[in-house]
Amino acid sequence: ERMYVALVAGVIKNNDGKVNLAIGRDISDRKKISSRTHSPREAETHFTVVRRFGIATLIHVFPQTGRTHQIRVHMAHLAHPVVGDPCYGGRTARISALGAPRQMLHATSLGFIHPLTHKKVSFSAPPPPDMQEIIDLLGRGTLQPAPTTGQPQGVRPLRGVRPLREVRPLREVRPLRGLPLQQDWMVL
């Protein structure tokens, strides 16, 4: 018995849904899981919409099977990747105004039958502060489009998250051997 809470990119139209897509190690990238695989394994995920925001949707996710990266792959398959997912989300999952420092996916409750007592045991935990802060910002509607530089207006920096480093000019640039300086550059 597992329930996750996830913030996914875009607005999911249906109130609930099910993804039944066999997944396994990707043919071309062994670090990724996908439906393009030589050894597909059954995977099923159910979800219900908790709340819709203008740029994202908060959902409860109930994986019926326990495959690696199952939720992330299934939501990306629906074109609603988990916000902040660099592996399966691509550009869609990088909603710059949110400033998500990581994947916005959290195991809210986990339960199982204890092997010794044979009693049902369950654990629950609220979303971590960084995720809750983003959900609260979305709920208040205080997000604005991110400016081209600096901190987005109306968005407080997340606690415990370091800002991205600024791009600094190169210290020394020399031409590659045998080529004029204007045509090719090499950074030392």
Side-chain angles (χ1 to χ4, degrees):
E1 179 180 313
R2 295 165 296 207
M3 183 177 80
Y4 293 76
V5 64
L7 187 62
V8 296
V11 178
I12 297 177
K13 291 180 175 58
N14 297 333
N15 290 331
D16 54 22
K18 175 174 94 170
V19 181
N20 195 347
L21 176 71
I23 58 176
R25 294 273 172 209
D26 188 78
I27 294 169
S28 58
D29 185 351
R30 297 278 306 147
K31 292 181 182 178
K32 280 186 149 184
I33 305 296
S34 79
S35 59
R36 300 174 350 159
T37 181
H38 292 301
S39 55
R41 296 183 75 194
E42 178 187 332
E44 186 175 324
T45 305
H46 298 195
F47 66 90
T48 58
V49 170
V50 176
R51 187 161 179 200
R52 292 176 181 90
F53 305 103
I55 57 175
T57 305
L58 185 65
I59 60 173
H60 282 155
V61 185
F62 308 92
Q64 303 302 300
T65 51
R67 307 289 178 232
T68 303
H69 300 185
Q70 175 179 325
I71 296 170
R72 296 165 60 197
V73 172
H74 280 178
M75 296 317 297
H77 177 74
L78 294 178
H80 293 288
V82 174
V83 169
D85 187 347
C87 188
Y88 302 106
R91 255 188 315 198
T92 307
R94 287 191 299 263
I95 301 173
S96 60
L98 294 178
R102 61 174 184 84
Q103 301 163 33
M104 295 291 105
L105 175 64
H106 173 70
T108 307
S109 66
L110 301 171
F112 58 91
I113 304 297
H114 194 280
L116 298 176
T117 64
H118 303 289
K119 292 183 180 178
K120 184 178 176 181
V121 180
S122 60
F123 303 91
S124 63
D130 63 339
M131 185 174 183
Q132 190 60 55
E133 188 170 347
I134 288 175
I135 293 167
D136 292 345
L137 286 171
L138 283 166
R140 287 194 300 265
T142 57
L143 291 174
Q144 306 207 353
T148 54
T149 59
Q151 179 72 20
Q153 297 173 359
V155 178
R156 297 183 330 248
L158 297 173
R159 292 177 294 245
V161 177
R162 294 182 298 147
L164 294 174
R165 288 184 272 165
E166 301 271 306
V167 177
R168 296 186 199 127
L170 299 173
R171 289 188 209 130
E172 181 181 353
V173 177
R174 283 201 265 172
L176 292 173
R177 191 176 312 174
L179 295 175
L181 186 62
Q182 298 90 329
Q183 290 182 1
D184 204 354
W185 298 70
M186 179 178 74
V187 179
L188 298 176

